[in-house]
């Protein structure tokens, strides 16, 4: 019997990709330990789910559309009507993730997406400029909250962009279906 | 300054401390940073820059902007060759290489200029009337010859080594044009806190102020513009896009633009970014695009040395070059008096010819005392060979009578100014004739659009500045920014702009010499007269008849003059003569810029499965399935396609094979109503299927035709997992969303795509169980414990796997699903475990062969025209429940006799082959839509049968087993006799897959 099966990221062999001149001022890294869940509210439970999620995030108000917030290493974004995207990192977040699943289980169906998508983090002063080469999202919209997320296309590749602030600087986590890894990295180059 | 014979000793906004070297037609010249190719050529006394499109007449530099119709050159070498570039927009850099176009053997001696002598034979639309006989010559001779002669430059014959990219920008206020009005608008909006994008096609800000010698706010106009620009550049809420041509306006307030990032740097290493295409989305649009001067139309008005008046002073003031020393300024408006003043100040001997009466003129005061002015006169014709040498003058009241001939080396001409309204026209706005400025202008604009300055028909500088401020404040306010209205800066007093249109001179002059209306397409007044005579006098008709305004300059100089001429010819007001519609692109863009990064292998995104690396390593030849790349077959040394596929099939049938099926669409459903939801989607039932079981399912469209098929697996009472076809995965997902959101929002079911989450592989063959038993931990794979259609969770090593016992190949088979990150590891583990049984991978072609041998339908049969019954799946259609497509599938047309039904085909002679798409007929030698009784949907060589087999859709096919038909492909002149069989060729009782 086989004992160990190697887990292999979609970006294996593609990153790091060096530092092309046009991405100066941008730090690009893969979040190899990213865990991702999709939550869909059960019929008639979207209000309750919003409140449960807000309580989990220790917020007074539910998340506004496309707003995102973080608690205990877990980012939750209201990416669509009755739909939330959850991004957590590593084993330290696994326990909190379990707690989240427990509190939402009566109000939502939970779908595991971790293996289906890789997450690339872009940070640095020119991170938004790099993203703007591919996505039509307004990355500097002053009317958006500090932390937000949105499904989009990046150079025709489906992606979910999740932004949050870290030390007053914008950080973008981009979740992309794993089959597009080669094309996405080619675009990033 | 050696060789720069026309460079002024001082002045201009160039960097005289540095020299750049460039070449034109192989000859080296010198210029300065800040020069364009046009100013550099003029500085060196080069006025002849090209030959015209049709008649090969000598042409020179006419303008100083992107509207240039004559000085079109080819720049660069090798893969960087770019034809038809206006010399006026090329920034000089060291090593720039430029060549003239459309001449042979040389620019000064062009044999094709013989066309000019043949002009009477080449009137407008000549190709509509000639070359009609003999008819067959059109395709063989005339059209190829005309095509060879057409066009100006020649495109590169090597790959473009440069890099292009796309980018998006969003703003509150987009200001197009960094002239006086645009700068004021951007400054006012930016100071109010609005997010501003300011774009201008030129390298320096200021618009036409960059080429003026006037004062704004007590400073030199260009320095003032640069000061505003510097302020804006320092603001975080402003994005400056100089060297950026906004080429089109699209839905809403979305704009396309091209930024020339590296053109002016002269980089010659590959990989440098050359141009960036912007998509700009704005909330408010300030159109400050300025105005374009139009020429006067007179005899031989196209000679080198004839230039627009505004451009001539631009060359003097911005570039410090004097285009001519003996100058005639021919005009009908007051703006040209600035030109006469500036050229005279620069040392030229200027004579001003104004077609108006003296009392209508406001610009006298600008002129130096020694400047000669002749009122009420006009230039009727010019002389010269490769350069203008004199102008013939006549009284405007007697234009047929030449009063004098003035020697000159430069004629500056101005017929007035046209507001640049292209970006509004792109979205359908129709301009109106404004007789006060004798030009078309936008009388009304929609909300969110602000017209200012020259674009709005305002030609007085002070008013332009005021309009800019007002528009900036209004635009910012519309974006909820609190804006104070600052005072516009003061300018020096300039004469009021007045004009008296002069569209054309009498027929005698236009007949004696060519009076060009459209320089780029060689359209003359005589051509317009012909168009009008033949009933094509409306502006839109004349455009198409003569090709006026159709070249890369889009008629920027010619359209209004043509409408004025047509108006006179028809005797109708200009407003009734019609206008043409400007369309994107405002200026040409390189194809590379439009493509951006989507070139070569990255022309479109490709999708790879988790095992792609293994397939590559093992020599797979790939095929496209949507965006996916799937292994088609795995040739071994010495094998061709047929041999590889045969080996793969035989191995799976006799031992064990494995195929990557990760590309199947996968959807997970949760919620208490999941089963009911699936019952309504599929023709068969799933709500009562036991947990841990899987079943084949078929979906119909609303119209009763088959939509998709796949397997449905029940993982828990309220949890299902379905697979759908690779190509239709997103379509099924959309269908499910529509059904849930529109038809049955009351059902408590949630679902999402998990295609990417799972890697999947099918292990098939008589030894499949033996192989998997060596690696799968946690389930008993024996037939008794795990029969066909079973599902169970297990492990391979430490990886989770879900095992489904289902078969597409007809063999004992299992589908293994594992989290995608484990896909490659699990695949390799199975390969290793199967080595002793001779396991090999097989591709999609072997899969097609095996499913055809088993009579399983796939894409070619699910072509949108077949019902479940046509495909032999009628018994699956539940009579006890409702589902999408049920009622329409019972229409008489879908159930009566004559339907095409799925059958098998085998050739009567084993060695015969037939093609997919071939028709089925009953009589040999006949073919046609009326005799075809069906067609072949799939044809493959079957190793099990050792001959070709096929699936086909044949009228009433199921009742025709044993009948002989002819499989005909008239396109290939093929006809084969075949026997109609049942669709299953191998193991009709299914013993193998149940084994």
């Amino acid at each position: 019997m086989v004992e160990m099966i190697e887990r292999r990221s979609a970006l294996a062999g593609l990153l790091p990709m060096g530092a092309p001149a046009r991405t100066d001022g941008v730090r690009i890294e893969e979040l190899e330990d990213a865990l991702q869940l999709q939550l869909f509210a059960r019929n008639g439970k979207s209000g309750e789910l919003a409140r449960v999620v807000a309580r989990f995030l220790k917020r007074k108000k539910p998340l506004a559309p496309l707003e995102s917030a973080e608690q205990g290493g877990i980012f939750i974004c209201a990416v669509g009507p009755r739909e939330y995207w959850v991004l957590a990192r590593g084993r330290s977040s696994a326990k909190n993730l379990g707690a989240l699943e427990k509190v939402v289980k009566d109000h939502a169906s939970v779908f595991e997406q971790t293996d289906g998508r890789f997450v690339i983090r872009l940070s640095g002063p020119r991170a938004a400029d790099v993203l703007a080469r591919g996505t039509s999202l307004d990355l500097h919209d002053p009317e958006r909250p500090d932390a937000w997320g949105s499904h989009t296309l990046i150079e025709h590749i489906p992606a979910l962009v999740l932004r949050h602030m870290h030390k007053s600087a914008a950080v973008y986590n981009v979740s992309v279906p794993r089959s597009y890894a080669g094309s996405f990295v080619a675009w990033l180059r | 300054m050696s060789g720069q014979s026309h460079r002024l000793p001082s002045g201009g906004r160039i960097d005289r401390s540095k020299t750049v070297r460039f070449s034109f037609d192989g000859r080296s010249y010198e210029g300065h940073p800040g020069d364009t190719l046009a100013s550099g050529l003029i500085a060196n006394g080069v006025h002849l820059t090209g030959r015209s499109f049709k008649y090969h007449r000598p042409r020179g530099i006419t303008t100083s902007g992107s509207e240039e119709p004559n000085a079109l050159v080819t720049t660069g070498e090798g893969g960087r060759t770019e034809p038809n570039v206006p010399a006026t927009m090329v920034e000089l850099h060291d090593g720039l290489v430029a060549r003239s176009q459309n001449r042979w053997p040389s620019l000064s001696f062009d044999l094709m200029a013989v066309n000019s002598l043949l002009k009477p034979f080449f009137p407008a639309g000549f190709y509509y009337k000639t070359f009609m006989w003999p008819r067959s010559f059109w395709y063989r001779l005339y059209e190829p010859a005309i095509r060879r002669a057409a066009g100006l430059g020649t495109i590169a014959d090597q790959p473009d080594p440069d890099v292009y990219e796309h980018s998006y920008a969003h703003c509150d206020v987009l200001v197009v044009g960094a002239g006086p009005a645009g700068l004021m608008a951007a400054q006012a909006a930016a100071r109010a806190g609005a997010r501003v994008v300011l774009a201008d096609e030129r390298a320096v800000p200021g618009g036409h102020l960059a080429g003026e010698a006037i004062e704004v706010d007590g400073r030199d106009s260009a320095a003032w513009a640069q000061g505003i620009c510097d302020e804006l550049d320092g603001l975080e809420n402003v994005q400056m896009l100089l060297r950026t041509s906004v080429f089109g306006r699209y839905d809403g307030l979305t704009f396309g633009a091209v930024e020339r990032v590296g053109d002016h740097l002269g980089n010659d290493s590959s990989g440098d970014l050359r141009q960036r295409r912007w998509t700009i989305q704005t909330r408010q649009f300030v159109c400050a695009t300025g105005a374009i001067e139009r020429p006067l139309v007179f005899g031989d008005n196209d000679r080198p040395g004839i230039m627009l008046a505004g451009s001539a002073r631009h060359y003097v003031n911005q570039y410090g070059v004097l285009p001519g020393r003996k100058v005639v300024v021919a005009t009908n408006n007051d703006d040209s008096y600035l030109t006469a003043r500036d050229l005279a100040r620069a040392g030229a001997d200027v004579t001003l010819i104004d077609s108006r009466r003296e009392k209508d003129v406001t610009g006298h005061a600008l002129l130096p005392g020694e400047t000669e002015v002749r009122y009420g006169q006009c230039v009727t014709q010019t002389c010269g060979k490769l350069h203008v040498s004199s102008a013939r003058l006549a009284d405007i009241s007697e234009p047929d009578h030449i009063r004098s001939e003035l020697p000159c080396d430069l004629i500056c001409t101005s017929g007035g100014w046209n507001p640049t309204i292209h970006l509004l026209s792109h979205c359908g706005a129709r301009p109106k004739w404004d007789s006060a400025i004798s030009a078309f202008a936008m009388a009304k604009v929609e909300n969110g659009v602000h017209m200012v300055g020259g674009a709005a028909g305002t030609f007085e500088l002070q008013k332009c500045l005021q309009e800019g401020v007002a528009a900036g404040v209004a635009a910012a306010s519309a974006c909820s920014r609190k804006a104070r209205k600052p005072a516009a800066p003061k300018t020096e007093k300039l004469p009021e702009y007045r004009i008296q249109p002069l569209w054309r001179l009498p027929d005698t002059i236009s007949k004696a010499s060519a009076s060009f209306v459209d320089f780029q397409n060689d359209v003359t007044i005589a051509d317009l007269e012909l168009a009008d005579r033949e009933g094509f006098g409306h502006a839109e008709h004349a455009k198409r008849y003569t090709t006026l305004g159709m070249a890369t300059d889009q008629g920027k100089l010619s359209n209004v003059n043509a409408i004025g001429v047509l108006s006179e010819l028809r005797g109708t007001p200009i407003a009734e003569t019609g206008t043409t519609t400007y369309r994107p692109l405002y200026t040409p863009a390189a194809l590379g810029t439009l493509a951006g990064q989507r070139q070569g292998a990255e022309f479109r995104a490709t999708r790879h499965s988790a095992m792609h690396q293994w397939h590559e390593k093992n020599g797979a030849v790939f095929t496209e399935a949507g965006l996916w790349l799937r292994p088609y077959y795995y040739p071994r040394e010495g094998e061709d396609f047929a041999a590889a596929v045969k080996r793969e099939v035989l191995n799976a049938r006799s031992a064990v094979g494995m195929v990557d099926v990760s590309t199947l669409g996968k959807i997970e459903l949760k919620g208490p109503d999941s089963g009911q939801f699936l019952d309504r989607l599929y023709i068969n039932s799933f709500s009562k299927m036991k947990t841990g079981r899987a079943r084949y399912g078929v979906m119909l469209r609303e119209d009763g035709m088959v939509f998709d098929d796949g397997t449905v697996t029940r993982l828990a009472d309220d949890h299902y997992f379905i697979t759908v076809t690779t190509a239709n995965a997103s379509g099924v997902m959309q269908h499910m969303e529509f059904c849930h959101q529109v038809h049955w929002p009351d059902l408590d079911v949630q679902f999402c795509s998990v295609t990417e989450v799972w890697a999947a592989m099918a292990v098939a063959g008589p030894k499949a169980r033996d192989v998997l038993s060596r690696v799968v931990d946690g389930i008993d794979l024996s037939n008794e414990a795990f029969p066909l259609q079973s599902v169970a969770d297990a492990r391979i090593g430490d990886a989770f796997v879900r095992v489904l016992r289902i078969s597409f190949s007809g063999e004992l088979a299992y589908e293994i699903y594992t989290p995608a990150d484990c896909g490659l590891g699990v695949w390799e583990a199975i390969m290793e475990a199967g080595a002793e049984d001779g396991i090999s991978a097989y591709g999609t072609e072997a899969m097609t062969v095996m499913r055809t041998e088993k009579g399983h339908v796939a894409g070619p049969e699910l072509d949108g025209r077949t019902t479940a019954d046509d495909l032999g799946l009628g018994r699956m259609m539940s009579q006890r429940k409702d589902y999408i497509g049920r009622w329409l599938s019972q229409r008489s047309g879908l159930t009566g006799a004559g339907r095409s039904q799925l059958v098998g085909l085998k050739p009567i002679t084993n060695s015969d082959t037939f093609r997919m798409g071939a028709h089925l007929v009953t009589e040999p030698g006949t073919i046609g839509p009326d005799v075809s009784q069906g067609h072949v949907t799939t044809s493959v060589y079957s190793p099990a049968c050792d001959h070709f087999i096929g699936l086909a859709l044949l009228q009433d096919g199921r009742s025709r087993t044993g009948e002989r038909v002819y499989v005909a492909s008239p396109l290939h002149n093929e006809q084969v006799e075949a026997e109609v069989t049942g669709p299953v060729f191998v193991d009709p009782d299914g013993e193998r897959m149940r084994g």
Side-chain angles (χ1 to χ4, degrees):
Chain A
M1 282 289 175
V2 184
E3 289 187 356
M4 293 284 287
I5 293 292
E6 183 193 359
R7 293 185 67 86
R8 193 174 171 83
S9 157
L11 294 171
L14 298 172
L15 285 181
M17 54 176 222
R22 283 182 300 121
T23 51
D24 282 352
V26 186
R27 181 178 161 82
I28 298 169
E29 57 188 318
E30 181 188 8
L31 304 191
E32 288 186 62
D33 56 351
L35 303 170
Q36 298 176 81
L37 297 177
Q38 220 172 343
L39 309 183
F40 287 92
R42 298 272 305 276
N43 264 25
K45 300 281 182 73
S46 55
E48 285 173 62
L49 177 62
R51 286 189 286 277
V52 166
V53 168
R55 273 202 298 278
F56 179 84
L57 292 169
K58 297 186 176 160
R59 291 165 55 95
K60 287 181 184 164
K61 283 184 180 175
L63 291 172
L66 304 184
E67 190 180 6
S68 169
E70 184 262 345
Q71 177 59 43
I74 296 176
F75 291 89
I76 304 178
C77 182
V79 290
R82 305 185 301 158
E83 183 187 346
Y84 296 85
W85 197 275
V86 181
L87 174 66
R89 290 198 63 184
R91 289 182 185 165
S92 58
S93 304
K95 192 175 167 189
N96 282 341
L97 210 53
L100 173 67
E101 288 192 63
K102 200 170 172 183
V103 297
V104 301
K105 73 177 170 53
D106 291 336
H107 313 291
S109 289
V110 180
F111 296 90
E112 171 65 51
Q113 290 287 0
T114 300
D115 277 84
R117 305 170 80 98
F118 61 88
V119 180
I120 279 185
R121 170 168 288 183
L122 287 89
S123 55
R126 289 201 54 217
D129 293 344
V130 170
L131 270 183
R133 283 165 34 202
T135 176
S136 60
L137 289 175
D138 185 353
L139 301 168
H140 300 289
D141 187 349
E143 291 172 19
R144 285 187 194 270
D146 278 351
W148 56 267
S150 179
H151 287 290
T152 183
L153 290 175
I154 294 181
E155 194 71 4
H156 298 262
I157 296 170
L160 173 67
V161 174
L162 295 161
R163 187 187 95 149
H164 67 274
M165 302 301 285
H166 180 67
K167 294 181 182 171
S168 303
V171 173
Y172 297 90
N173 293 322
V174 185
S175 167
V176 181
R178 63 168 293 136
S179 66
Y180 291 96
S183 290
F184 188 81
V185 171
W187 166 78
L188 207 49
R189 282 203 173 97
Chain B
M1 215 168 70
S2 62
Q4 296 190 48
S5 56
H6 286 60
R7 182 77 72 185
L8 293 166
S10 62
R13 286 131 193 168
I14 50 172
D15 182 359
R16 290 175 185 261
S17 66
K18 293 177 186 157
T19 300
V20 291
R21 288 167 184 80
F22 66 102
S23 76
F24 180 66
D25 277 348
R27 198 167 161 192
S28 295
Y29 299 98
E30 289 183 355
H32 299 291
D35 264 326
T36 61
L37 175 60
S39 68
L41 288 171
I42 293 172
N44 286 276
V46 178
H47 299 279
L48 175 65
T49 53
R51 289 279 173 168
S52 73
F53 173 70
K54 192 166 154 189
Y55 303 124
H56 288 248
R57 288 169 65 101
R59 293 280 169 82
I61 296 157
T62 309
T63 74
S64 59
S66 62
E67 68 272 26
E68 174 61 39
N70 286 328
L72 303 179
V73 299
T74 296
T75 58
E77 293 175 296
R80 288 195 170 85
T81 300
E82 185 170 18
N84 300 332
V85 183
T88 48
M89 295 303 286
V90 178
E91 293 176 59
L92 271 196
H93 57 78
D94 241 346
L96 174 71
V97 176
R99 295 177 296 286
S100 58
Q101 306 177 151
N102 205 36
R103 79 290 187 275
W104 188 83
S106 70
L107 182 58
S108 55
F109 179 69
D110 178 13
L111 284 176
M112 289 300 286
V114 70
N115 282 4
S116 199
L117 302 175
L118 300 174
K119 187 170 175 291
F121 302 102
F122 296 139
F126 71 96
Y127 37 80
Y128 299 132
K129 300 172 187 169
T130 49
F131 307 123
M132 294 293 126
W133 184 91
R135 200 170 173 170
S136 62
F137 275 34
W138 174 250
Y139 289 110
R140 291 177 189 166
L141 179 64
Y142 301 144
E143 190 185 25
I146 291 170
R147 283 191 182 280
R148 264 201 301 280
L152 291 173
T154 305
I155 60 169
D157 57 0
Q158 296 170 36
D160 186 342
D162 287 323
V163 173
Y164 302 85
E165 70 178 25
H166 294 171
S167 198
Y168 294 84
H170 299 257
C171 56
D172 295 324
V173 183
L174 168 66
V175 181
V176 180
L183 286 172
M184 284 290 88
Q187 186 189 50
R191 284 180 175 175
R195 288 196 297 164
V196 175
V197 171
L198 174 60
D200 193 288
E201 64 184 354
R202 291 177 180 273
V204 293
H208 80 90
L209 287 185
E212 299 287 8
I214 53 180
E215 287 194 349
V216 178
D217 214 12
R219 301 168 68 188
D220 166 66
S221 59
W224 171 83
Q226 188 60 55
I228 301 289
C229 197
D230 291 344
E231 178 197 331
L232 294 172
D233 216 11
L235 297 175
E236 274 191 3
N237 57 327
V238 177
Q239 185 168 12
M240 292 286 298
L241 293 175
L242 293 179
R243 298 188 176 92
T244 302
S245 172
V246 178
F247 60 69
R249 181 187 160 197
Y250 303 93
D251 293 345
L253 289 175
T254 304
F255 295 79
V258 172
E259 181 184 5
R260 304 188 303 277
V261 180
D263 285 356
H264 59 292
L265 301 175
N267 290 336
D268 54 7
S269 58
S270 64
D272 290 327
L273 182 63
R274 183 188 168 213
Q275 293 183 349
R276 180 183 289 125
R277 196 204 77 192
W278 286 95
T279 302
I280 305 170
Q281 181 68 51
T282 184
R283 297 166 72 183
Q284 298 282 308
F285 166 45
V286 178
C287 182
T289 45
I292 294 173
E293 197 168 21
R294 59 182 184 245
L296 287 169
V297 183
F298 47 80
D300 297 317
N301 58 337
D302 63 329
R303 296 186 195 283
I306 300 178
M307 183 181 282
L308 293 177
S311 299
R313 71 174 186 264
H314 206 107
Y315 284 110
V316 170
N317 295 320
Q318 183 170 354
Y319 304 109
V321 293
L322 188 60
R325 294 188 175 87
K326 179 79 177 163
V327 182
V328 169
V329 178
T331 188
N332 64 354
N333 64 82
D334 295 287
D335 184 74
S336 304
Y337 284 71
L338 277 171
T339 300
R341 179 195 72 176
D342 293 350
L343 265 68
R345 280 182 184 171
D349 175 7
V350 179
T351 304
L352 197 148
I353 311 297
D354 194 330
S355 59
R356 300 172 296 170
R357 293 169 300 180
E358 185 173 2
K359 69 183 181 66
D360 297 326
V361 173
T362 63
H364 324 74
L366 290 170
L367 299 179
E370 68 273 18
T371 306
E372 182 187 356
V373 186
R374 300 189 187 184
Y375 298 106
Q377 288 195 11
C378 59
V379 174
T380 60
Q381 205 176 351
T382 69
C383 302
K385 194 179 173 192
L386 296 178
H387 191 253
V388 68
S389 60
S390 67
R392 289 179 178 163
L393 310 179
D395 286 341
I396 196 73
S397 55
E398 282 185 295
D400 288 343
H401 179 67
I402 304 298
R403 271 182 64 132
S404 59
E405 183 166 338
L406 274 182
C408 61
D409 60 359
L410 174 68
I411 297 178
C412 300
T413 166
S414 177
W417 290 79
N418 300 323
T420 308
I421 51 177
H422 298 63
L423 291 176
L424 279 91
S425 187
H426 290 172
C427 279
R430 304 292 291 186
K432 283 195 171 176
W433 183 251
D434 183 344
S435 54
I437 57 170
S438 291
F440 285 99
M442 288 296 172
K444 196 177 169 188
V445 294
E446 70 263 42
N447 283 342
V449 177
H450 310 264
M451 301 287 292
V452 293
T458 304
F459 298 140
E460 289 175 38
L461 181 55
Q462 187 65 55
K463 283 188 184 172
C464 290
L465 295 167
Q466 288 163 352
E467 284 180 5
V469 171
V473 168
S477 300
C479 299
S480 308
R481 312 286 180 181
K482 286 182 185 169
R484 284 184 308 141
K485 191 173 177 183
K490 297 287 180 201
T491 68
E492 69 176 80
K493 182 76 179 164
L494 294 171
E496 182 190 354
Y497 175 79
R498 288 187 193 169
I499 180 173
Q500 191 171 320
L502 177 61
W503 302 121
R504 65 179 187 132
L505 299 171
D507 290 354
T508 45
I509 292 170
S510 65
K511 280 175 183 155
S513 56
S515 302
F516 285 91
V517 180
D518 186 313
F519 295 122
Q520 215 178 345
N521 267 356
D522 273 351
V523 179
T524 62
I525 283 189
D527 293 325
L528 292 175
E529 288 169 346
L530 180 63
D532 184 47
R533 276 203 308 278
E534 300 207 342
F536 297 94
H538 188 279
E540 292 282 16
H541 295 153
K543 171 181 176 174
R544 281 148 187 90
Y545 188 88
T546 63
T547 69
L548 177 129
M550 284 181 162
T552 58
D553 70 346
Q554 295 240 321
K556 292 185 181 74
L557 267 58
S558 62
N559 276 1
V560 175
N561 273 344
I563 292 166
V565 170
L566 288 168
S567 162
E568 289 192 355
L569 289 172
R570 288 157 60 93
T572 57
I574 285 185
E576 292 174 23
T577 307
T579 58
T580 58
T581 306
Y582 296 112
R583 295 188 175 86
L585 310 173
Y586 173 69
T587 47
L591 290 175
T593 312
L594 300 181
Q597 290 178 296
R598 289 201 296 277
Q599 299 180 34
E602 297 305 327
F603 173 69
R604 62 175 188 173
T606 50
R607 303 175 71 179
H608 297 164
S609 82
M611 288 82 87
H612 186 81
Q613 199 180 22
W614 189 95
H615 304 319
E616 276 187 328
K617 198 174 158 187
N618 286 272
V621 174
F622 291 93
T623 183
E624 292 181 1
L627 294 179
W628 289 99
L629 285 184
R630 300 190 69 180
Y632 192 28
Y633 61 102
Y634 301 82
R636 290 180 182 170
E637 199 172 339
E639 281 184 338
D640 61 7
F641 166 74
V645 173
K646 183 178 178 181
R647 173 183 50 74
E648 290 170 13
V649 172
L650 288 175
N651 194 63
R653 292 261 185 246
S654 62
V656 58
M658 184 156 67
V659 62
D660 183 353
V661 292
S662 302
T663 62
L664 287 172
K666 308 174 200 79
I667 299 168
E668 220 173 317
L669 299 94
K670 292 184 177 180
D673 295 332
S674 300
Q676 197 179 346
F677 182 68
L678 292 174
D679 281 352
R680 295 182 188 184
L681 283 178
Y682 285 90
I683 64 173
N684 43 339
S685 292
F686 296 99
S687 58
K688 291 184 179 151
M689 183 170 71
K690 288 181 181 170
T691 297
R693 300 290 289 170
R695 187 181 292 161
Y696 176 70
V698 173
M699 289 183 202
L700 303 185
R701 301 190 312 222
E702 293 276 8
D703 63 2
M705 299 298 181
V706 173
F707 175 46
D708 201 74
D709 67 345
T711 56
V712 177
T713 304
R714 189 165 198 171
L715 301 172
D717 282 354
D718 60 352
H719 188 185
Y720 288 81
F721 173 83
I722 69 172
T723 61
V724 300
T725 54
T726 299
N728 216 9
S730 61
V732 171
M733 191 69 194
Q734 287 170 18
H735 177 64
M736 289 172 64
E737 289 283 6
F738 177 81
C739 290
H740 184 224
Q741 292 181 30
V742 178
H743 294 325
W744 315 306
D746 53 312
L747 292 185
D748 190 4
V749 56
Q750 296 77 45
F751 49 87
C752 76
S753 170
V754 290
T755 299
E756 301 272 355
V757 175
W758 299 97
M761 54 214 88
V763 184
K767 295 182 180 174
R769 182 182 292 126
D770 297 341
V771 172
L772 288 180
S773 295
R774 290 182 205 124
V775 287
V776 174
D777 190 15
I779 51 172
D780 176 1
L781 291 172
S782 69
N783 205 27
E784 297 71 30
F786 201 68
L788 193 65
Q789 298 187 332
S790 297
V791 180
D793 293 347
R795 306 199 81 78
I796 291 180
D798 59 346
F800 173 87
V801 293
R802 179 168 294 145
V803 184
L804 278 68
R805 186 169 166 198
I806 50 177
S807 178
F808 193 49
S809 60
E811 293 298 324
L812 169 65
Y814 302 85
E815 284 186 4
I816 313 291
Y817 292 81
T818 189
D821 278 2
C822 301
L824 180 60
V826 167
W827 174 279
E828 288 175 337
I830 296 172
M831 275 290 169
E832 195 178 330
E836 63 188 82
D837 288 311
I839 192 171
S840 69
Y842 63 92
T844 55
E845 183 59 19
M847 190 169 71
T848 298
V849 171
M850 288 192 277
R851 71 98 182 161
T852 307
E853 289 176 335
K854 281 296 293 178
H856 288 157
V857 293
E861 288 76 36
L862 310 184
D863 66 356
R865 296 176 296 176
T866 47
T867 66
D869 187 60
D870 294 341
L871 301 173
L873 305 171
R875 279 184 299 178
M876 288 173 62
M877 300 169 77
S878 174
Q879 300 300 313
R880 289 185 232 160
K881 68 180 181 81
D882 196 5
Y883 53 86
I884 296 275
R886 174 180 176 180
W887 299 106
L888 288 181
S889 69
Q890 294 173 13
R891 284 177 290 162
S892 57
L894 301 190
T895 55
R899 291 290 305 169
S900 290
Q901 295 170 333
L902 186 74
V903 296
L905 284 180
K906 64 177 184 181
I908 299 300
T909 305
N910 274 358
S911 58
D912 280 349
T913 65
F914 42 73
R915 297 171 187 269
M916 281 176 72
H919 286 272
L920 306 180
V921 295
T922 52
E923 296 295 328
T926 59
I927 188 60
D930 50 340
V931 295
S932 177
Q933 298 200 1
H935 70 280
V936 178
T937 55
T938 305
S939 77
V940 295
Y941 168 76
S942 165
C945 303
D946 196 23
H947 58 70
F948 256 69
I949 60 170
L951 296 178
L953 289 164
L954 176 66
Q955 281 176 20
D956 299 317
R958 282 200 289 273
S959 62
R960 297 170 68 174
T961 303
E963 194 177 305
R964 290 192 176 192
V965 293
Y966 293 89
V967 185
S969 180
L971 285 176
H972 305 92
N973 200 24
E974 292 172 355
Q975 186 164 273
V976 169
E977 195 174 11
E979 181 186 333
V980 178
T981 69
V984 184
F985 294 89
V986 170
D987 189 24
D989 297 327
E991 287 175 5
R992 291 188 185 190
M993 64 181 180
R994 290 195 181 84

